Amino acid sequence: CELCHRPGGELLWEDELCRVVAVADADYPGFCRVILARHAAEMTDLADDERSALMQVVFTVEATLRHLYRPDKINLASFGNVGPHVHWHVIPRWHDDRHFPQPVWAAPQRPSGAVPPSLPLRLLAGELRARLGAGRNPFEE
């Protein structure tokens, strides 16, 4: 499983349950993934307390991105068709981004969108640590 052996993006924060990584996509600054630390294919493979804790991290990432980036919308997605490992995509969206109103995986609606510049990942990692508490922040090592 690729997500068992690779980070899945640039590490921003992690604890024993999951990690939050930044996805390098210039069209979608702030695009993050929340990836379960252990292998499981479906949310219902997790115990109730794990599911709740994982979703709390997803919601905290969403709130953090809303605070820092001020997007028009946030998309949350969990597929795992190609890589069957529990993970969530947390994607800030703008009305004039490249794909809006379609999903980011659909055909582009315009050549490029007018999105805000990406913030330094150190800032995003620091804000996540402030909101999520203890955990490993690679920018403070």
Side-chain angles (χ1 to χ4, degrees):
C1 169
E2 183 176 332
L3 293 178
C4 284
H5 301 290
R6 295 195 176 114
E10 186 164 348
L11 184 64
L12 299 172
W13 178 90
E14 72 178 341
D15 68 4
E16 65 283 345
L17 177 67
C18 64
R19 64 188 174 273
V20 178
V21 301
V23 175
D25 188 331
D27 288 324
Y28 299 97
F31 185 160
C32 290
R33 284 189 194 106
V34 178
I35 303 168
L36 187 68
R38 69 177 178 84
H39 185 80
E42 305 296 345
M43 287 291 290
T44 52
D45 293 337
L46 281 60
D48 288 346
D49 61 331
E50 287 179 302
R51 278 197 301 260
S52 294
L54 182 67
M55 292 313 298
Q56 188 58 51
V57 173
V58 170
F59 300 146
T60 300
V61 172
E62 175 185 326
T64 302
L65 294 175
R66 290 183 70 198
H67 171 73
L68 292 175
Y69 286 90
R70 306 282 188 220
D72 296 316
K73 181 72 177 90
I74 293 279
N75 289 171
L76 299 177
S78 179
F79 300 113
N81 297 332
V82 175
H85 183 118
V86 171
H87 66 284
W88 285 85
H89 301 268
V90 186
I91 312 164
R93 299 297 306 275
W94 291 269
H95 291 280
D96 53 358
D97 72 36
R98 190 163 186 224
H99 293 88
F100 201 87
Q102 301 302 317
V104 299
W105 295 280
Q109 302 297 299
R110 56 199 61 79
S112 65
V115 297
S118 186
L119 299 171
L121 292 182
R122 177 181 297 278
L123 176 67
L124 179 52
E127 187 70 21
L128 287 170
R129 184 174 183 127
R131 291 170 180 246
L132 292 169
R136 188 166 91 82
N137 178 343
F139 294 96
E140 294 182 359
E141 293 179 348

